[in-house]
């Protein structure tokens, strides 16, 4: 039954699962409602199995919707009917002669006490679900997520890697689109992943890895999409949980998730506060072929103190039995203090000739707001649906920094004292509508979306004039940069099933408008000369593109299938890649945006294979991607030196001509016994890049891989022990080689208070080995570096569930597992 249930779920983009009638034009319609016998609560995603009496190999079926209703179309004939739901006793009707539509009425299922103990194991087996265009991972039972952030949780998902600086990649490609409940969201940050380090992992219901996105999704993200679906309970009454944690280095917080559901409304909220100290370190050992010094050694320490408050509140009001409107609001307040200390030694012929100490004390206060409205109307029980969404997001970050650099050798004197003020404001409007029309066995979808984003960065640099003792504004670098990105899109897509073949094809049209404007004391030509770039810093670009998608699945059997996917995607440059003003984190190594950067485009192909056995599930795929105008960050001389004669090196993003990427991946879930669960995944990829910039050839060929191995063991006294090990192999681009990285996470948990509470202990980066070691070589310098964003973290957490037992929570999680597009239309985030 479970195999059939999983197979049926993988095809829910289709309007119905019945076979095409062969002997009549109008099929027989079977309807009914499935509820819990004791509470009367509808059972969503219960399974109806319809098996032909004359030919038992012919099996059709369907699943119930949110209200427990099902509709299945079959040819006239004799059938055995069976309704099943995990941990409930089945309901059967045998030898039914169906010659006209039949309403089975209300079917009340009772709990099966003999299965309750197996619910947890069943949940573990279905941790991954494979659909036409994605894989779905339920991360709610990952012990290492207790007290962790969303960014930490993503690092446990197959195909995904979060590097030491928090950059997220999918199959080794960092151009991945992050969505929250199917939409761009301030919860995930405005193009930055920093916000994901502040939100609690226990707010996640599931993560959808979408490597071959259908046309309903934005075309942004050449690697694909990660859709983070947040929890929102659907059971009647009041329930929720409280999670408190404390750790070392200093890490403490509390998160509350609550849900109140009645017949007319659903009220949900998530509140959380976090205090975190995240110490890190780095070294840079640079050698130069010219300049005042032949070697410069930097030793940096980072002390990052983050305090943030997150509040999310929403209400879903049911207008009728088939329609509802949801309003939600989100607020995040962050207070951060980062202290970076940089000890710098300069050498000539092996001897230290100069030594400086640089200290940057940075304070950042941020406020993020988001409000959203969602309307959904289910015209009937067949999937005919209309949804509409509006969302407004605003983020304001005020950053002040004091940078002081002193010389210790050969003399003691002040080199520079600077005050930096940066005010960044980001706004985003989102308007969209989606329409779904079942047409017999097929399904047609259409919709549109407009996203209007604007970021304004107001930057001022004041330097101490040691002669006068006064601070003077640096007019060369003080500026105001406004960046607009407006995207308007419309799509259509069609899905159908032909025997063992399922197809989902679509076409998306997107118009991208990118505008940049710099307000500075310089005129444009003088500004170009000052910044060392030969491009227009004020720009207005307009791109129109078609993005087709095709996904095919061939069912070999109920437990085995092949899939093929094709999609065209776009990679739009974010604001910091465009802003031409250099960073101030270092006097000698700076990052500078490139206003001349154009979007990159990719064509991607994916072939997948899924096989399920009784205790083992295998998912695998091979893929190929060709990207044009691909982004590459390169380092080059600026021709400028510091006041004490050190060459200034610039890192700048550019458009290279092409990048070809090949890869293969496999993931295995294995449950040999009730007390042991094993997971493993492996991803190998190879890429070749070609292209020139400023007369330098940056073409390269390289390959790398990463592997993940996890185990979950139930020890005596029902103590759970989970271990996750990860290794990312060596890799390189045109200028830089990076060594492999190993990390291990460890966690233990124990249920107490009659399974209403859980206490957990987890250790992130057990070996303290999550360090990036790199070597960069160019014609004018070499650099050896080592960087550790965060040291080993130990966390103790306590989770208490009220009005919600552990098994109830797991059953609800399975009910919320949803169809192909349920996350798209829920509207509220909780």
């Amino acid at each position: 039954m479970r195999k059939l249930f999983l197979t049926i779920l993988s095809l829910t983009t289709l309007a119905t699962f019945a076979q095409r009638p062969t002997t009549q034009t109008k099929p027989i319609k079977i309807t009914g409602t499935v509820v819990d016998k004791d509470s009367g609560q509808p059972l969503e995603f219960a399974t109806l199995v319809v098996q032909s009496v004359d030919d038992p190999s012919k099996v059709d079926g369907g699943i119930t919707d949110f209200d427990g209703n099902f509709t299945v179309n079959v040819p006239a004939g004799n059938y055995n009917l069976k309704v099943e739901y995990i941990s409930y006793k089945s309901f059967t009707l045998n030898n039914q002669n169906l010659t006209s539509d039949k309403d089975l009425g209300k079917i009340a299922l009772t709990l099966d006490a003999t299965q309750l103990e197996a619910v947890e194991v069943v949940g573990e087996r279905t941790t991954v679900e494979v659909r036409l265009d994605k894989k779905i991972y339920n991360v709610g039972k990952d012990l290492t997520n207790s007290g962790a952030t969303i960014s930490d949780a993503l690092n446990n998902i197959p195909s995904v890697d979060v590097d030491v600086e928090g950059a997220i990649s999918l199959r080794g490609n960092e151009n991945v689109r992050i969505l929250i409940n199917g939409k761009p969201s301030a919860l995930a940050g405005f193009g930055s992943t920093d916000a994901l380090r502040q939100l609690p992992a226990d707010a996640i219901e599931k993560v959808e890895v979408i490597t071959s996105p259908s046309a309903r999704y934005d075309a942004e993200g050449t690697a694909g999409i990660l859709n983070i679906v947040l929890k929102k309970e659907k059971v009647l009454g009041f329930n929720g949980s409280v999670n408190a944690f404390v750790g070392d280095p200093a890490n403490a917080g509390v998160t509350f998730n609550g849900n109140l559901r009645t017949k007319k409304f659903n009220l949900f909220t998530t509140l959380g506060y976090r205090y975190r100290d995240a110490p890190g370190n780095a070294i840079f050992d640079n050698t130069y072929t010219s300049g005042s010094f032949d070697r410069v050694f930097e030793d940096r320490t980072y002390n990052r103190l983050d305090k943030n408050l997150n509040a999310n509140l929403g209400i879903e009001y049911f207008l009728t039995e088939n329609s509802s409107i949801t309003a939600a609001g989100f607020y995040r307040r962050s207070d951060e203090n980062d202290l970076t200390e940089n000890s710098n030694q300069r050498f000539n012929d092996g001897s230290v000739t100069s030594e400086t100490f640089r200290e940057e004390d940075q304070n950042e206060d941020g406020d993020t707001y988001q409000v959203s409205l969602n309307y959904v109307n289910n015209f009937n029980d067949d999937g005919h649906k209309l949804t509409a969404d509006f969302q407004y997001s605003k983020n304001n970050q005020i950053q002040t920094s004091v940078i002081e650099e002193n010389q210790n050798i050969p003399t003691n004197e002040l080199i520079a004292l600077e005050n930096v003020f940066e005010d960044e404001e980001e706004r985003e409007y989102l308007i969209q509508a989606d329409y779904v029309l079942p047409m017999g066995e097929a399904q047609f979808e259409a919709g549109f979306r407009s996203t209007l984003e604007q970021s304004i960065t107001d930057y001022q640099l004041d330097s101490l004039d040691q002669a006068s003792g006064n601070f003077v504004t640096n007019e060369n670098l003080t500026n105001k940069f406004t960046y607009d990105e407006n995207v308007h899109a419309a799509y259509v897509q069609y899905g159908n099933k032909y025997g063992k073949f399922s197809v989902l094809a679509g076409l998306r049209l997107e118009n991208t408008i990118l505008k940049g404007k710099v307000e500075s004391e310089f005129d444009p030509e003088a500004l170009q000369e000052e910044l060392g770039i030969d491009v227009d810093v004020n720009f207005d670009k307009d791109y129109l593109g078609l993005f087709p998608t095709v996904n095919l699945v061939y069912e070999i059997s109920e437990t085995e299938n092949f899939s093929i996917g094709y999609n065209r995607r776009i990679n739009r440059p974010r604001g910091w890649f465009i802003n031409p003003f250099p960073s101030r984190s270092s006097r000698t190594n700076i990052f500078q945006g490139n206003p001349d950067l154009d979007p990159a485009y990719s064509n991607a192909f994916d072939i997948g294979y899924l096989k399920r056995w009784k205790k083992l599930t295998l998912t695998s795929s091979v893929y190929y991607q060709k990207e044009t105008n691909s982004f590459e960050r390169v380092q080059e001389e600026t021709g400028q030196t510091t006041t004490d004669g050190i060459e200034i090196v610039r890192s700048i993003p550019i458009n290279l001509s092409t990048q070809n990427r090949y890869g293969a991946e496999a993931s295995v879930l294995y449950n040999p016994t009730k007390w042991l669960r094993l997971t493993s995944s492996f991803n190998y990829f190879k890429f070749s890049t070609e292209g020139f910039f400023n007369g330098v050839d940056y073409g390269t060929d390289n390959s790398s891989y990463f592997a993940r191995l996890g185990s979950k063991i139930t020890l005596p006294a029902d103590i759970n022990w989970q271990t996750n090990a990860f290794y990312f192999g060596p890799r390189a681009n045109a200028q830089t080689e990076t060594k492999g990285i190993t990390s291990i996470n460890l966690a233990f948990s124990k249920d107490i208070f009659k399974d209403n509470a859980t206490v957990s202990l987890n250790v992130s980066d057990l070996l303290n080995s999550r360090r990036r070691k790199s070597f960069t070589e160019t014609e004018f310098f070499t650099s050896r570096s080592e960087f550790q964003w965060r040291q080993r973290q130990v966390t103790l957490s306590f989770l208490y569930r009220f009005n919600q037992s552990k098994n109830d929570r797991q059953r609800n999680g399975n009910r919320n597992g949803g169809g192909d597009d349920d996350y798209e239309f829920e509207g509220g985030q909780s």
Side-chain angles (χ1 to χ4, degrees), residues 422 457-461 474-482 516-524 526-528 530-533 535 537-538 575-585 590-595 650-653:
E422 186 172 356
T457 305
D458 197 342
Y459 182 90
Q460 179 175 322
L461 173 64
N474 186 327
E475 303 291 353
N476 296 354
L477 295 178
T478 297
N479 70 94
K480 185 176 182 180
F481 180 64
T482 302
K517 180 183 179 182
V518 173
E519 298 175 49
S520 170
E521 292 295 321
F522 288 90
D523 61 53
L527 182 60
Q528 292 175 28
E530 174 67 23
L531 296 174
I533 55 176
V535 298
V537 294
N538 298 308
W576 66 86
F577 264 39
I578 295 290
N579 192 334
F581 287 87
S583 66
R584 298 294 292 172
S585 59
I590 63 173
F591 176 82
Q592 184 174 2
N594 179 8
R650 170 174 60 190
S651 176
I652 186 170

Side-chain angles (χ1 to χ4, degrees), residues 312-332:
N312 190 45
L313 177 65
I315 182 170
E316 181 178 11
Y317 181 75
F318 304 102
L319 301 172
T320 67
E321 291 185 358
N322 296 320
S323 64
S324 67
I325 186 168
T326 301
F330 170 77
Y331 172 73
R332 178 172 60 243

